[in-house]
Amino acid sequence: MTPATVAGRVEIDLSVYNPFDVESVRDPYPSVERLLTDYPVAFHKDLNAWLVSPHDLVAEILRDPRYSTRFADWKDAPAPKAEAEWNLYDKLQSLALPVVAPAEHMRLRRLTAPAFSRRVMDRIEARIRDAVIGIFDEIENPAEFNVATEIAAKVPIRAIARMVGVPPEAETLFEHGLGWNLVRAQNPMYAAQDRQRYIEGTLPGLRYLLDIVAERRAAATTGAEDDADADFIGTLLATEIDGERLTDWEIVTLITALVTAGADTAVDLHTTVIRALLLHPDQRAILRARPELTEGAILEVLRWSGHGKFGGFPRFPLEDIEVGGQLLEKGSFVMPMFAPAWLDPAKWPEPRRFDVTRNHAGNIIFGAGPHLCIGLNLVKAQGRLVIEEFERRFGDQAEIVGDVEYDPTHFNARRMTNLTVRTAA
């Protein structure tokens, strides 16, 4: 493959795709369809990134080992610090699942798998159910309330805190400290000084997690921890495969991966799932009659809503690679565009139609390949519990009132800030 065999470079700017334009945030379909039709693979000059939109090409990139998820492989990444200058965040990044070598990545996946077993997840789900019920109990005025602030903003981080075993008084540290800053600290869309501020914001939460894991390991070593009640961290500490165990830092790395997803991406699931079901009473009725469709319905909500402005982890080619007739240069910033891929008519018949019975075979809604979302079962459990509790309390007596409001400045999500629901409560 040589540059000479590639068609002329396709370039776009904010006039074609502006993820921060309020109208595009309210209604993503026109810009998404334009990317798919006119600019399936294009270099965005204002974002300094390649945008890849068709479902088949996005899936190909997610599975291709020639792409790195390591921030250091971006040609414009800052020079690495000497190890002697590392802070806790730098140490975390050296061990994170997206950046370690493939063999190490598979080792970590193998050692963490038991913590996501059905036995452990069932015990965690019971804790999450109590958290979800408690959040619904806290709604100040159940007759009319904002789903975004009273449900969606609370469920994910509280669920993860219960999963990890964090006491209620530390949940704010997770939500507004660790989670908020982790999702921004390594995003190339931010200026270097902003990323440094976000890095510093992660440090108290990282220290807190390291202390928790160290305390739990000490308790397990002395026999003070009851193995019969092994939870998520307890399982991670106890797992030994071929003589290998996870270190404290590796356990913290896994927890922060879950916190990152929970503090940001999962927040949008709960507003979009309630909005989708209230806008489609026929689909809501089907789901009520066939609750076994709930997991597929959650996938359909995420697919149909087009809630992401970009994708998951950016990719950085380790060599020049041709994609869709364009040459993606080594070290360039490549963003697999999930929203267009999830709405691509070449993959999804009638993509704008919301259908809880849709076949999702071959979907990339939670990613694909070695970096498939590690917390997808946790996200699905949260979504199902929110649907069940909303139905139990409000049944058919709920409707959206007023305008849905969004935060156009959010760097990645079509984040709803107001979804007011009126009920008969």
Side-chain angles (χ1 to χ4, degrees):
M1 178 71 236
T2 64
T5 66
V6 178
R9 178 167 161 134
V10 175
E11 295 187 345
I12 60 175
D13 55 24
L14 292 174
S15 68
V16 173
Y17 183 70
N18 186 350
F20 311 110
D21 173 66
V22 65
E23 291 305 319
S24 295
V25 172
R26 288 193 186 109
D27 180 9
Y29 293 109
S31 57
V32 161
E33 290 170 353
R34 189 178 185 193
L35 287 176
L36 285 166
T37 302
D38 300 334
Y39 305 101
V41 181
F43 183 79
H44 199 300
K45 295 184 292 183
D46 294 317
L47 300 177
N48 189 30
W50 284 99
L51 307 186
V52 181
S53 296
H55 190 280
D56 61 337
L57 297 183
V58 170
E60 179 182 311
I61 287 173
L62 297 183
R63 296 186 174 96
D64 192 332
R66 295 178 297 169
Y67 294 89
S68 168
T69 55
R70 295 177 68 247
F71 185 63
D73 289 324
W74 180 35
K75 62 182 178 60
D76 296 322
K81 292 181 183 178
E83 189 169 347
E85 300 175 3
W86 282 4
N87 59 24
L88 295 180
Y89 176 84
D90 299 319
K91 175 72 171 180
L92 176 77
Q93 290 308 306
S94 73
L95 298 169
L97 284 170
V99 305
V100 295
E104 180 65 9
H105 182 96
M106 294 308 297
R107 169 186 167 272
L108 292 174
R109 286 273 185 167
R110 185 172 67 254
L111 287 170
T112 58
F116 292 93
S117 68
R118 174 51 54 190
R119 179 179 68 89
V120 175
M121 291 306 296
D122 283 348
R123 183 174 290 123
I124 290 168
E125 185 169 320
R127 296 179 181 179
I128 295 174
R129 177 177 283 106
D130 288 344
V132 170
I133 290 172
I135 288 167
F136 274 82
D137 287 341
E138 293 168 9
I139 296 174
E140 185 174 349
N141 177 18
E144 186 170 313
F145 61 93
N146 182 359
V147 172
T149 57
E150 301 209 46
I151 296 177
K154 298 179 180 181
V155 168
I157 205 66
R158 199 173 298 184
I160 292 171
R162 294 289 179 90
M163 178 177 184
V164 173
V166 172
E169 60 269 20
E171 289 173 1
T172 299
L173 178 66
F174 266 45
E175 180 178 356
H176 299 295
L178 189 60
W180 170 268
N181 289 292
L182 277 172
V183 298
R184 290 159 177 80
Q186 194 174 267
N187 191 309
M189 298 294 181
Y190 287 111
Q193 63 269 25
D194 293 327
R195 292 200 301 269
Q196 184 58 41
R197 186 173 72 254
Y198 298 135
I199 286 170
E200 292 171 0
T202 69
L203 302 182
L206 292 176
R207 171 48 57 196
Y208 182 86
L209 283 179
L210 283 166
D211 290 344
I212 283 181
V213 175
E215 290 170 8
R216 293 290 303 274
R217 187 181 295 278
T221 301
T222 61
E225 189 162 85
D226 184 0
D227 185 61
D229 192 36
D231 59 4
F232 185 70
I233 290 182
T235 303
L236 291 172
L237 288 167
T239 297
E240 180 177 343
I241 299 177
D242 297 332
E244 291 189 295
R245 289 178 179 267
L246 293 167
T247 67
D248 287 9
W249 262 110
E250 287 168 341
I251 293 173
V252 169
T253 297
L254 176 64
I255 295 170
T256 56
L258 295 173
V259 170
T260 300
D264 197 65
T265 308
V267 170
D268 301 298
L269 168 63
H270 304 303
T271 46
T272 53
V273 75
I274 291 175
R275 177 173 176 263
L277 293 175
L278 292 181
L279 289 177
H280 301 89
D282 59 327
Q283 298 300 304
R284 191 178 178 195
I286 291 172
L287 190 59
R288 188 181 296 122
R290 300 175 59 189
E292 70 275 9
L293 295 175
T294 300
E295 183 171 314
I298 290 168
L299 293 175
E300 179 68 354
V301 165
L302 294 172
R303 185 206 66 79
W304 166 84
S305 65
H307 73 274
K309 296 176 180 178
F310 300 108
F313 292 112
R315 263 50 177 188
F316 308 104
L318 298 174
E319 59 187 70
D320 290 353
I321 303 175
E322 181 192 3
V323 176
Q326 295 292 295
L327 184 69
L328 278 53
E329 307 91 343
K330 177 182 178 180
S332 58
F333 176 62
V334 178
M335 183 55 76
M337 298 290 285
F338 282 176
W342 297 345
L343 295 165
D344 185 351
K347 170 64 177 175
W348 309 104
E350 299 180 75
R352 289 206 195 190
R353 179 172 56 87
F354 179 69
D355 179 5
V356 298
T357 69
R358 189 184 291 273
N359 182 351
H360 291 93
N363 80 82
I364 53 171
I365 292 169
F366 283 98
H371 294 285
L372 180 72
C373 177
I374 197 167
L376 66 90
N377 289 326
L378 178 63
V379 173
K380 290 176 183 177
Q382 289 180 46
R384 177 166 47 77
L385 292 170
V386 167
I387 292 171
E388 290 175 356
E389 192 63 17
F390 191 89
E391 286 292 305
R392 186 180 73 82
R393 294 187 184 232
F394 307 121
D396 286 322
Q397 305 302 310
E399 61 178 347
I400 298 171
V401 295
D403 294 330
V404 177
E405 297 175 9
Y406 294 87
D407 173 14
T409 66
H410 194 283
F411 75 94
N412 188 40
R414 293 178 57 237
R415 176 63 47 81
M416 287 184 225
T417 56
N418 182 49
L419 178 69
T420 299
V421 170
R422 182 179 296 151
T423 76

